[in-house]
Amino acid sequence: MGRAAAVAEARDAEHGWALLQAIPAEAVRDYQPCWALAAHLLARLQRRDEADAARERAIGLCEDPAMRTFLRQQGVPSALSSGTEDNAGAPRLNQNGRNGHEHM
């Protein structure tokens, strides 16, 4: 997962998202950092509804009150990236942590 974040920063969010999607859903279903990263990448891809859903999942899995506050603040529209990256063809997350392709 660290590789997905690093690639997203070094290349772009689309490549980071592709790497994150390669992780089996079962391996990260309840892994909060993965959902926080998904929210970040989806926001950078301007997939706001999906970013919000991933952020809510990350908040729900978070045990640290300070981290929950931080994640909630990330959902404020001014905190979202205004980049122009788009990834309309990528798998979409649902509330169950599935995208229909057996990945995250």
Side-chain angles (χ1 to χ4, degrees):
M1 193 171 63
R3 182 173 177 212
V7 167
E9 292 303 316
R11 293 184 71 183
D12 58 39
E14 186 174 343
H15 285 91
W17 178 246
L19 289 173
L20 193 61
Q21 289 293 287
I23 301 171
E26 296 299 319
V28 295
R29 178 176 314 254
D30 296 323
Y31 188 56
Q32 185 272 342
C34 188
W35 289 98
L37 177 58
H40 173 75
L41 293 175
L42 288 164
R44 286 186 53 195
L45 292 168
Q46 295 187 17
R47 293 167 59 176
R48 302 206 193 291
D49 291 341
E50 294 168 276
D52 290 344
R55 185 175 301 100
E56 287 302 314
R57 176 98 172 148
I59 290 168
L61 292 169
C62 191
E63 296 178 12
D64 180 355
M67 181 59 72
R68 279 194 299 271
T69 299
F70 172 79
L71 290 170
R72 283 188 184 106
Q73 291 172 345
Q74 297 306 301
V76 176
S78 63
L80 296 177
S81 170
S82 61
T84 59
E85 299 173 87
D86 187 18
N87 197 19
R92 300 173 70 90
L93 289 174
N94 64 28
Q95 293 291 9
N96 297 323
R98 305 293 257 178
N99 64 14
H101 297 286
E102 298 303 313
H103 296 102
M104 191 190 134

